[in-house]
Amino acid sequence: MEKTDISVVIIDDHPLVREGLRKILELEPGIKVLDEAGDGQGAINIARQLKPKVILMDINMPGTNGVEATRIIKREFPNIGIIALTIHEDEEYVLELVRAGVSGYVLKDIAPAKLVETIRTVAAGNSVIDPTITRTLFTELNRLTRRRHAQEEWENLTEREMDILKLITRGKSNKEIAVDLCISEKTVKNHLTNIFRKLKVDDRTQAVLFAIKNHLIEI
């Protein structure tokens, strides 16, 4: 192998896929396929033995899957670039792989020339994510951000405020809440004002919807 060659390992549980990828890459100058395996543990073993520049990693495989294999390899060898090559656009896969440390995430219907370009880009220390997956990733990250902000908001509620939130979710009036909790209606109103402020809502209906949407209350 020439010093300038990009060493690549192919990990996929389908022999035909591995063979096809190998044939494509072996035609490319400056790219050298070192080995291949059909499961995540094989990927880990090869990474430890050969320390390739880039690993093409399938996700759904028997035994240790691609996500877990990626996590282990990146922990032991941070400089190995891992490209997730998969049929999945699912948000969960995208985020898990990003967290695990993949440098690239492309779909298996990628054009051969684009795959080669992705390998070279990742080998140079850069990241590549398929545009269709980028859209999915941003959508999911935005959703998680909103959920995290919501969690921060309801975690600021006191135990008494949570009690009142549960009661208004059950349709209780201020007077009924006051009786149930042995407090005055004025105190209930004060608590509700604090609840609305903390949850950034305007009224009890919005507070109830917030509680249900964020699974604070079982109905």
Side-chain angles (χ1 to χ4, degrees):
M1 186 175 66
E2 298 292 332
K3 287 185 177 180
T4 56
D5 283 347
I6 299 170
S7 55
V8 177
V9 167
I10 301 168
I11 309 297
D12 196 291
D13 62 336
H14 294 95
L16 284 176
V17 173
R18 296 200 304 271
E19 182 179 352
L21 289 171
R22 180 183 282 273
K23 287 182 177 179
I24 290 170
L25 297 180
E26 285 180 342
L27 293 174
E28 291 297 321
I31 292 179
K32 178 70 174 179
V33 178
L34 297 183
D35 206 347
E36 61 184 61
D39 56 53
Q41 187 57 53
I44 296 167
N45 295 341
I46 292 172
R48 288 170 175 167
Q49 180 182 1
L50 301 179
K51 299 178 182 62
K53 189 71 174 178
V54 175
I55 297 177
L56 294 179
M57 183 78 75
D58 189 22
I59 305 309
N60 273 335
M61 295 183 290
T64 304
N65 65 28
V67 176
E68 183 59 26
T70 296
R71 194 174 290 120
I72 293 170
I73 292 169
K74 291 299 291 186
R75 184 170 62 239
E76 296 184 16
F77 308 102
N79 292 330
I80 293 179
I82 298 181
I83 300 171
L85 188 61
T86 176
I87 60 173
H88 294 284
E89 296 181 51
D90 184 82
E91 293 94 334
E92 182 179 354
Y93 281 106
V94 178
L95 283 176
E96 280 195 50
L97 287 160
V98 169
R99 292 190 189 106
V102 293
S103 300
Y105 192 122
V106 296
L107 301 181
K108 284 188 175 179
D109 61 0
I110 187 173
K114 187 64 177 177
L115 176 60
V116 171
E117 180 186 339
T118 298
I119 291 172
R120 296 188 190 282
T121 300
V122 169
N126 299 310
S127 298
V128 178
I129 298 181
D130 186 283
T132 60
I133 299 171
T134 303
R135 189 163 51 250
T136 300
L137 176 61
F138 278 121
T139 299
E140 181 64 5
L141 286 175
N142 286 336
R143 186 183 67 81
L144 288 177
T145 299
R146 288 194 298 271
R147 180 190 294 175
R148 185 161 55 249
H149 288 165
Q151 181 176 355
E152 291 170 355
E153 288 158 4
W154 68 256
E155 282 180 343
N156 289 327
L157 295 179
T158 66
E159 184 176 348
R160 176 47 57 91
E161 288 166 351
M162 282 296 295
D163 290 338
I164 292 175
L165 183 59
K166 291 175 184 177
L167 291 172
I168 65 172
T169 303
R170 295 171 191 162
K172 297 268 188 175
S173 66
N174 288 0
K175 184 176 181 179
E176 290 171 325
I177 293 172
V179 171
D180 288 350
L181 299 180
C182 299
I183 57 178
S184 69
E185 283 190 62
K186 182 179 179 181
T187 300
V188 172
K189 290 179 181 178
N190 289 338
H191 281 308
L192 284 173
T193 298
N194 289 332
I195 291 170
F196 298 160
R197 177 178 53 80
K198 290 179 180 180
L199 299 186
K200 296 181 175 62
V201 298
D202 298 321
D203 54 40
R204 62 202 298 139
T205 300
Q206 290 181 14
V208 169
L209 290 174
F210 180 99
I212 295 172
K213 181 180 179 181
N214 292 283
H215 308 289
L216 307 186
I217 307 295
E218 293 184 2
I219 56 172

